[in-house]
Amino acid sequence: MKTFLGSCFLSLALMVAAIPAFAASSPLGRSDSHSPIRVTADSMTYEPDKNIVLFSGNVEVVRDDFRMWSAKLTMYMKARKNAKTDSKKNAKDGKDAMKTGDLDRIVAEKNVRFRMDTKSGTAQKATWLADKEELVLEGNPVLLDGRNSVTGKRIRYFVRENRSEVEGGTGRRVEAVFSSNGQGK
């Protein structure tokens, strides 16, 4: 079960940790960690005063064999000490106010789905916390690997420890379904 959750979350974390060019290179890196990320959406808004980049409407993220869809994806950048001065200066000289490594967190919301190989999942909200290397799925989260599945109120994956927690709650207990390796149908 730990391996199943780990591989599902690691797949999402690898993609989310490196979404666009402003994201830090992932400490989770694999040999193809420089693969391009393509994000498409109906619209994108960059708000330097709020330190966010917002993609909305039919958001799709593609990297190698990983795909994720949501209605909205927000990237929260870390506030810099001289953010106001830098924003004014960069606006004048045309430089981007964001620099590599400034990523704080990424939040995908509304009908979040992702797929990689035989693994897939759904949730209403997926949050990647960059510094903690933690992924949190909320809102009826479901992870699938073939016919195996796990559900709960909240699913948390701690990348550094390769550890996951599935929380239940009022009206929503943890449920895991394990299928044999093709034995019986």
Side-chain angles (χ1 to χ4, degrees):
M1 182 65 170
K2 183 177 177 181
T3 303
F4 162 65
L5 287 174
S7 62
C8 287
F9 283 118
L10 184 59
S11 299
L12 182 60
L14 280 169
M15 182 282 312
V16 170
I19 278 182
F22 359 91
S25 62
S26 174
L28 312 173
R30 42 183 206 187
S31 62
D32 61 352
S33 63
H34 295 342
S35 296
I37 308 300
R38 182 176 53 115
V39 179
T40 56
D42 292 340
S43 66
M44 183 196 95
T45 304
Y46 168 46
E47 299 182 30
D49 294 341
K50 295 181 181 179
N51 294 320
I52 65 170
V53 179
L54 171 66
F55 295 90
S56 61
N58 301 306
V59 179
E60 180 178 19
V61 181
V62 178
R63 179 171 188 220
D64 296 330
D65 61 348
F66 184 89
R67 296 180 81 159
M68 184 176 74
W69 302 267
S70 65
K72 177 181 172 184
L73 184 124
T74 307
M75 297 177 55
Y76 294 86
M77 311 312 284
K78 293 177 184 174
R80 295 190 298 162
K81 293 178 184 175
N82 298 324
K84 289 186 180 188
T85 305
D86 288 348
S87 290
K88 289 177 185 175
K89 177 185 172 196
N90 291 333
K92 289 179 185 176
D93 64 16
K95 292 182 181 175
D96 193 343
M98 288 187 274
K99 301 217 185 275
T100 302
D102 287 344
L103 180 66
D104 180 47
R105 68 189 182 281
I106 297 173
V107 179
E109 298 175 274
K110 299 181 183 173
N111 303 318
V112 178
R113 300 180 292 125
F114 57 91
R115 181 180 69 215
M116 181 173 179
D117 299 323
T118 63
K119 297 161 192 66
S120 62
T122 61
Q124 287 302 307
K125 182 178 180 181
T127 304
W128 169 250
L129 304 169
D131 287 345
K132 293 181 179 181
E133 295 181 41
E134 179 181 336
L135 179 69
V136 181
L137 296 177
E138 301 173 285
N140 300 315
V142 176
L143 290 176
L144 304 165
D145 186 1
R147 295 182 356 199
N148 300 315
S149 67
V150 64
T151 63
K153 180 179 179 184
R154 178 179 297 122
I155 300 173
R156 301 171 80 96
Y157 178 61
F158 305 90
V159 175
R160 288 182 188 146
E161 295 112 33
N162 190 26
R163 177 174 64 88
S164 58
E165 295 176 359
V166 182
E167 302 170 23
T170 307
R172 183 73 180 186
R173 298 184 68 199
V174 173
E175 179 180 353
V177 176
F178 303 98
S179 297
S180 60
N181 293 332
Q183 305 293 328
K185 294 189 177 187

